Amino acid sequence: NVLPPNAANGSWGVEISLDVEWAHGIAPGANIVLVEATDNTNTNLFAAVRTAANLTGVSVVSMSFGGSEFFTENGIDRTTFVTPAGHNGVTFVASTGDKGAPGNYPACFKNVVAIGGTTLNLNPDNTIASETGWNDSGGGISQYQTSFPSYQVGIVTQSNAKRSTPDLAMDADPGTGVPIYDSFDFGNSPWAQYGGTSLSAPLFAGLMAIANQGRA
């Protein structure tokens, strides 16, 4: 039960600010639990995911982290990104990455909702002027996921029928991004504008929380 050390300035602390503030911004009435991994190894990141999913009442787990796929990923998928026995349904949401194709893991797993990025331009009155796919949004065809969600049946047409991402997309372009407040990382000028699919995942998780509340 040793707490992880403080993150270096400009690193995971910024991610935490972005995730928590904008999940809260979308779903201000939601109960948000921050689960921190001891470090950024897959072993500890996925342990944190399982911890989050097992918490009483949790209905959405938002993961703004990701990395390259690896050959043994399917074994982790079947034990990590699943609703725990006896628990209410849990939706796993993950960022597809900010470097184009291929997209990130774990967003490519079929039990995870893969959230890509858009460029969202507003009019002066804050109505939507335009929204297009963000050039740097992660996505593409998975290397190792040979099955895909049932909702992609009839849509996925590539001959190898591998998992394709993203499933959905929300604002991620840093140029059309959002303000965050972080006095730890930014010191005396604590406001900054951020984007990336690290933004789009918690945005969608907030929407899922609202939808789950409505269904309950």
Side-chain angles (χ1 to χ4, degrees), residues 152-165:
Q152 287 190 345
V153 173
I155 298 173
V156 175
T157 57
Q158 67 268 17
S159 59
N160 58 18
K162 289 184 177 179
R163 168 78 157 117
S164 297
T165 60

Side-chain angles (χ1 to χ4, degrees), residues 12 21 33 85 117 120 124 129 131 136 169 174 184 190 198 206:
W12 287 78
E21 290 172 23
V33 179
L120 177 63
E131 188 171 19
D136 292 330
F184 174 74
S198 290

Side-chain angles (χ1 to χ4, degrees), residues 39-121:
D39 57 38
N40 63 352
T41 60
N42 283 342
T43 296
N44 287 323
L45 285 172
F46 299 146
V49 171
R50 289 191 292 272
T51 296
N54 275 281
L55 294 173
T56 301
V58 164
S59 66
V60 186
V61 175
S62 177
M63 301 171 286
S64 62
F65 63 86
S68 300
E69 289 191 78
F70 49 97
F71 181 71
T72 57
E73 66 189 38
N74 284 286
I76 295 173
D77 298 338
R78 296 186 179 93
T79 59
T80 298
F81 308 111
V82 293
T83 298
H87 199 285
N88 57 279
V90 178
T91 301
F92 297 88
V93 174
S95 304
T96 58
D98 304 338
K99 297 180 179 179
N104 275 358
Y105 178 88
C108 60
F109 183 49
K110 68 174 183 178
N111 281 9
V112 174
V113 183
I115 310 298
T118 66
T119 297
L120 177 63
N121 293 299

